[in-house]
């Protein structure tokens, strides 16, 4: 429990740092938010001086950065992330709509990636240096260098167009059509998993190779345990630290790093929201999305740290 | 040799070779080793680091890498069956049940992320087919029998909670779980405090007597050999250079290497700051073993013949004491006298 408290305390400064830095960087962007909101794309009109000043006051843009951050922070802790400058929709509402979509995509893709990485990584590590292992490594590097939109396009072509098993794009509400919803996520999740599993597989392979040199593996062999049992029951857990760390980092990235996928498959997720908001200079929305990302990062890393303690009882003891 | 012992020994190693195919060449880790071990007896295998004694033990129980880098030849006859010829599936039946092993460093030989109870019961459940609850009861008995207090509480603890000596007791309990006929103890006390050493070795001996188990005790310490073994094999650079009963070896070593080993051990009776008779030089590189006697470079009695021709293991007419030396100790003394 002391371990948990310590880890949680570590994360508070991280959270402030991320939100403040993003606030500052948005402020440093060239151009004026008021211009962006009031200007008419067709006529190039930027509104009257009075209207501009009124809006500037209303959005608190006339106040210094640090004051605006303090105001935003005060509202944030009460659960109010402001309203979109563009659509006036509350930021939290927009997030609540998008988060489940991104979350579902993330979970499905990670399950697929793990399901591919663990058996292949263990197999490759057990046969480290063999022809099969080298073949798997070459294949992994090949897959790793495929851009995500290429992988996605290939899957769409094979599974949606040629075979017609799955929809090529679009999103269905889970409450309306659960199976349709899941079907819509299979290809995007598979695409993400395809580009992510090679790295996971590689780090697991390396750690399995070094774990298999340990004396306790020799002891397990001398007990007459089967290879399968030794690999999964004795070697996997001690070999999974880098794997879990990487998984945590990837999940953090995935919550927004799926812009390409969300665009390619027309999925209304958080990543798409972020990009659209940047386009329209909807700074308050961008800030809200970044805050959400920061929270996800922080929570996922906390979970990873907790997982270390579960994987190896010595970690909790050391802290 | 009398007829009773020659009938069918528990273990008979015949002309065993274990070579490692490394990028720098072939390492002759075990090079033509033969010995036998009767039921219930203790054989000491003694030698310096790198003499091949650990590789020999791992070859016997067959846990070296199977990726083609290990080249084996010879026979390991266990109760008459050649283990080297057994398929992996049958060999797995031998490991843990017939032959078990205790490793040198209890800090690294227990799985750090598995509870102690689980590490014992997996032998009972997986190998003896015991139901879980019974395996737990048996594990408690085993933990008690190796002298660990509060046995029932230990099941849920991790190795990190125990001292080195206690961990080695757990390792012994694991080895005993399958009720093996042969226990190979590879330097079981080298990593432990001197005060713990005797406790662990006494525990091993007590278990051996109770279970009528044979033991191969691998060590570099002739003091341990003298106290705990019946017979002894001295290894040098992958080969056996001397072999006889322990009593005979201590009384009348014939091979200069054995003598050098004895002289290099510190003696408590010596006055303070007595210089130790360290053996000069280094054991030969196992990638390029010399063609003559492998000890010749470091041997104070070496003559020309020693570095050109390898002496075969031989024994005097009146004894079973075998040694590989052109100029065995007593003969030399007789000449110089």
């Amino acid at each position: 429990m002391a371990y948990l408290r310590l880890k949680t305390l570590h994360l508070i400064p991280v959270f402030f740092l991320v939100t403040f830095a993003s606030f500052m960087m948005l402020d440093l962007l060239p151009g004026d938010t008021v211009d962006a909101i009031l200007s008419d794309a067709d006529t190039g009109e930027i509104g009257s001086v009075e209207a501009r000043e009124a809006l500037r006051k209303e959005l608190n843009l006339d106040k210094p950065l640090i004051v605006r951050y303090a105001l935003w922070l005060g509202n944030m802790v009460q659960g109010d992330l402001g309203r979109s400058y563009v659509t006036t929709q509350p930021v939290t509402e927009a997030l609540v709509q998008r988060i489940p979509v991104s979350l579902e995509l993330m979970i499905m893709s990670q399950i697929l990636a793990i399901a591919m990485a663990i058996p292949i990584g263990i197999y490759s590590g057990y046969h480290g240096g063999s022809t099969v292992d080298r073949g798997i490594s070459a294949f992994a590097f090949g897959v790793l260098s495929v851009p995500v939109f290429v992988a996605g396009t290939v899957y769409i072509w094979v599974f949606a167009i040629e075979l017609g098993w799955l929809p090529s794009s679009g999103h269905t509400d889970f409450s309306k059509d659960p199976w349709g919803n899941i079907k819509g996520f299979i290809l995007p999740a598979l695409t993400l998993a395809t580009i992510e599993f090679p790295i996971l597989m590689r780090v697991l392979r390396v750690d399995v190779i070094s774990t298999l040199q340990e004396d306790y593996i020799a002891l397990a062999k001398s007990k007459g345990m089967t290879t399968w049992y030794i690999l999964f029951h004795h070697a996997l857990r001690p070999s999974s630290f880098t794997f879990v760390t990487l998984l945590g980092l990837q999940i953090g990235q995935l919550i927004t790093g799926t812009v390409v996928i969300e665009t390619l498959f027309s999925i209304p997720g958080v990543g798409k929201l972020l990009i659209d908001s940047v386009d329209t200079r909807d700074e308050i929305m961008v800030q809200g999305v970044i805050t959400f990302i920061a929270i996800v990062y922080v929570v996922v890393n906390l979970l990873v740290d907790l997982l270390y303690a579960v994987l190896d009882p010595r970690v909790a003891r050391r802290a | 040799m009398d007829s009773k012992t020659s009938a069918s020994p528990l273990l008979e190693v015949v002309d065993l070779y274990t070579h490692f195919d490394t990028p720098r060449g072939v390492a002759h880790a075990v090079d033509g080793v033969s010995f036998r071990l009767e039921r219930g007896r203790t054989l000491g295998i003694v030698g310096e680091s790198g003499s091949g004694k650990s590789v020999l033990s791992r070859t016997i129980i067959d846990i070296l890498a199977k990726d083609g880098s290990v080249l084996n030849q010879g026979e390991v006859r266990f109760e008459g069956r050649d283990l080297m010829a057994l398929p992996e599936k049958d060999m797995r039946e031998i490991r843990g049940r017939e032959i078990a092993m205790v490793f040198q460093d209890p800090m690294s030989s227990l799985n750090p992320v598995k509870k102690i109870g689980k590490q014992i019961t997996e032998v009972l459940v997986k190998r003896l087919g015991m139901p879980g609850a019974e395996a737990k009861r048996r594990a408690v008995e085993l933990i008690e029998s190796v002298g660990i207090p509060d046995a029932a509480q230990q099941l849920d603890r991790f190795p990190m909670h125990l001292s080195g000596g206690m961990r080695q007791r757990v390792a012994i309990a694991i080895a005993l779980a399958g009720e093996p006929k042969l226990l190979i103890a590879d330097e079981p006390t080298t990593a432990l405090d001197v005060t713990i050493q005797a406790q662990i070795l006494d525990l091993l001996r007590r278990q051996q007597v109770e279970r009528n188990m044979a033991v191969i005790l691998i060590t570099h310490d002739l003091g341990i050999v003298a106290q705990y073994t019946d017979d002894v094999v001295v290894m040098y650079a992958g080969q056996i250079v001397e072999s006889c009963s322990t009593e005979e070896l201590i009384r009348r070593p014939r091979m200069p290497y054995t003598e050098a080993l004895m002289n290099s051990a510190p003696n408590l009776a010596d006055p303070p700051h007595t210089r130790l008779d360290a053996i000069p030089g280094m054991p030969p590189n196992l990638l390029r073993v010399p063609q003559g006697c492998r000890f010749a470079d470091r041997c104070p009695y070496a003559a020309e013949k020693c570095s050109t021709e390898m002496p075969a293991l031989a024994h005097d007419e009146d004894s079973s004491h075998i040694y590989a030396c052109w100029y065995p100790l007593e003969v030399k003394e007789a000449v110089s006298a």
Side-chain angles (χ1 to χ4, degrees):
Chain A
M1 253 3 323
Y3 176 75
L4 178 62
R5 212 174 309 128
L6 189 75
K7 285 292 169 193
T8 317
L9 285 177
H10 276 171
L11 295 172
I12 292 170
V14 172
F15 177 77
F16 281 110
L17 209 67
V18 171
T19 51
F20 185 71
S22 61
F23 220 87
M24 207 167 61
M25 282 189 277
L26 286 172
D27 197 61
L28 288 174
L29 283 177
D32 188 340
T33 314
V34 174
D35 283 351
I37 296 170
L38 288 183
S39 68
D40 191 307
D42 297 327
T43 61
E45 289 278 328
I46 55 164
S48 68
V49 176
E50 294 76 30
R52 292 167 57 82
E53 284 313 307
L55 183 63
R56 200 178 296 281
K57 243 192 169 59
E58 189 197 326
L59 299 179
N60 285 323
L61 289 173
D62 55 339
K63 300 199 171 67
L65 174 75
I66 191 78
V67 175
R68 275 184 285 142
Y69 179 66
L71 284 170
W72 176 85
L73 205 60
N75 288 330
M76 196 271 299
V77 292
Q78 297 167 48
D80 178 11
L81 289 168
R83 277 173 179 275
S84 163
Y85 291 163
V86 179
T87 62
T88 69
Q89 186 190 24
V91 172
T92 41
E93 192 188 294
L95 280 172
V96 166
Q97 284 171 0
R98 306 296 189 103
I99 289 170
V101 177
S102 286
L103 209 62
E104 189 175 349
L105 178 58
M106 184 184 85
I107 291 172
M108 276 182 68
S109 64
Q110 289 312 287
I111 289 175
L112 283 173
I114 293 169
M116 291 192 269
I118 288 183
I120 301 178
I122 288 183
Y123 182 85
S124 206
Y126 176 62
H127 294 286
S130 69
T131 316
V132 184
D133 172 45
R134 283 201 294 269
I136 291 174
S137 291
F139 174 74
F141 276 121
V143 172
L144 205 56
S145 51
V146 174
V148 57
F149 58 87
V150 173
T153 312
V154 169
Y155 284 143
I156 290 177
W157 181 68
V158 174
F159 294 104
I161 298 173
E162 289 297 317
L163 296 170
W165 291 348
L166 296 161
S168 63
S169 68
H171 171 71
T172 322
D173 233 5
F174 188 82
S175 53
K176 289 184 194 129
D177 178 6
W179 175 231
N181 169 282
I182 289 172
K183 259 165 77 173
F185 275 114
I186 291 179
L187 283 186
L190 188 64
T191 308
L192 279 176
T194 304
I195 56 164
E196 294 207 331
F197 97 90
I199 311 176
L200 288 171
M201 188 276 279
R202 293 285 298 172
V203 297
L204 183 62
R205 170 192 173 274
V206 168
D207 286 356
V208 164
I209 287 176
S210 76
T211 302
L212 290 179
Q213 307 296 320
E214 296 284 345
D215 278 354
Y216 58 81
I217 298 297
L219 177 65
K221 281 192 211 167
S222 78
K223 287 167 162 179
M225 297 294 142
T226 60
T227 305
W228 187 88
Y229 184 85
I230 291 171
L231 288 174
F232 281 87
H233 290 257
H234 282 271
L236 178 58
R237 240 170 88 178
S239 308
S240 55
F241 278 67
T242 328
F243 184 85
V244 166
T245 308
L246 193 65
L247 200 62
L249 291 173
Q250 282 193 348
I251 288 175
Q253 270 171 11
L254 266 188
I255 202 71
T256 55
T258 56
V259 184
V260 177
I261 293 291
E262 290 180 2
T263 309
L264 185 65
F265 291 93
S266 310
I267 296 168
V270 177
K272 195 129 193 316
L273 178 64
L274 180 65
I275 292 302
D276 293 347
S277 308
V278 170
D279 274 352
T280 56
R281 275 199 76 94
D282 196 349
E283 283 176 16
I284 194 86
M285 186 66 85
V286 174
Q287 182 65 32
V289 176
I290 291 176
T291 305
F292 167 69
I293 297 167
I295 293 173
V296 170
Y297 252 107
V298 155
V299 169
V300 166
N301 278 295
L302 179 67
L303 290 178
V304 166
D305 280 336
L306 292 180
L307 202 52
Y308 288 155
V310 173
L311 287 172
D312 189 340
R314 291 172 299 179
V315 172
R317 189 176 150 104
R318 240 177 270 137
Chain B
M1 275 176 226
D2 57 303
S3 59
K4 198 175 77 193
T5 53
S6 61
S8 172
L10 181 69
L11 179 76
E12 188 174 20
V13 171
V14 186
D15 209 20
L16 186 67
Y17 290 81
T18 303
H19 291 175
F20 293 100
D21 193 3
T22 75
R24 288 175 299 131
V26 175
H28 301 236
V30 174
D31 226 12
V33 164
S34 304
F35 64 86
R36 51 165 49 199
L37 173 61
E38 304 298 335
R39 285 174 180 75
R41 303 270 288 181
T42 304
L43 175 74
I45 298 182
V46 65
E48 285 169 286
S49 311
S51 59
K53 39 196 206 317
S54 286
V55 174
L56 173 62
S57 65
R58 286 170 194 230
T59 304
I60 292 170
I61 199 167
D62 189 31
I63 55 170
L64 291 169
K66 300 245 186 317
D67 56 4
S69 63
V70 181
L71 316 167
N72 279 323
Q73 200 190 306
E75 283 175 34
V76 176
R77 305 197 76 82
F78 184 80
E79 294 187 313
R81 275 204 294 176
D82 183 11
L83 301 186
M84 304 280 286
L86 283 187
E88 169 64 17
K89 192 175 148 289
D90 296 342
M91 189 58 214
R92 210 160 44 225
E93 294 299 313
I94 303 277
R95 289 187 211 117
R97 285 306 311 268
E98 307 284 340
I99 308 176
M101 194 154 167
V102 173
F103 291 81
Q104 176 170 343
D105 186 357
M107 294 298 171
S108 61
S109 68
L110 298 179
N111 193 327
V113 305
K114 278 177 108 69
K115 287 175 179 172
I116 284 159
K118 176 75 183 164
Q119 298 195 46
I120 299 174
T121 52
E122 68 182 8
V123 181
L124 301 168
V125 173
K126 298 244 152 217
R127 302 305 317 287
L128 278 68
M130 244 182 226
E134 195 189 333
K136 266 197 172 166
R137 273 197 303 277
R138 179 85 189 103
V140 173
E141 286 170 24
L142 280 162
I143 293 173
E144 265 167 6
S145 78
V146 295
I148 301 178
D150 305 323
Q153 274 94 67
Q154 307 296 349
L155 293 182
D156 286 326
R157 302 180 82 188
F158 288 96
M160 65 173 177
H161 296 122
L162 299 182
S163 67
M166 285 298 159
R167 290 190 204 192
Q168 197 61 302
R169 286 170 191 268
V170 171
I172 292 170
I174 291 171
L176 295 176
E179 288 163 14
K181 293 176 186 142
L182 169 62
L183 180 74
I184 302 175
D186 185 2
E187 306 232 18
T189 58
T190 305
L192 302 176
D193 284 351
V194 184
T195 45
I196 310 294
Q197 281 192 11
Q199 294 177 14
I200 295 293
L201 291 166
D202 288 342
L203 167 68
L204 275 177
R205 178 147 67 184
R206 203 169 57 243
Q207 295 290 341
Q208 171 181 23
V209 172
E210 272 173 29
R211 295 158 190 272
N212 191 29
M213 185 171 68
V215 171
I216 293 179
L217 183 61
I218 295 170
T219 178
H220 59 265
D221 186 338
L222 277 169
I224 290 176
V225 169
Q227 251 182 76
Y228 293 95
T229 66
D230 302 312
D231 302 289
V232 62
V233 159
V234 181
M235 280 189 78
Y236 187 79
Q239 294 176 321
I240 290 180
V241 292
E242 184 158 17
S243 168
C244 57
S245 74
T246 305
E247 205 188 345
E248 166 82 4
L249 186 88
I250 302 300
R251 217 156 24 97
R252 272 197 307 161
R254 306 297 305 272
M255 168 75 193
Y257 174 63
T258 312
E259 182 195 55
L261 264 188
M262 286 175 174
N263 293 339
S264 66
N267 188 343
L268 282 181
D270 286 342
H273 303 295
T274 304
R275 231 173 211 289
L276 282 178
D277 276 329
I279 307 176
M282 301 264 288
N285 184 345
L286 292 175
L287 294 169
R288 279 177 295 278
V289 285
Q291 79 179 111
C293 170
R294 291 180 182 179
F295 186 58
D297 278 355
R298 309 167 75 186
C299 180
Y301 312 110
E304 208 185 309
K305 188 181 184 185
C306 297
S307 51
T308 55
E309 269 183 78
M310 187 173 338
L313 277 172
H315 58 85
D316 299 335
E317 272 173 20
D318 55 342
S319 85
S320 58
H321 184 160
I322 59 172
Y323 50 88
C325 187
W326 293 121
Y327 307 104
L329 288 171
E330 270 174 359
V331 177
K332 197 182 315 279
E333 274 160 17
V335 169
S336 62

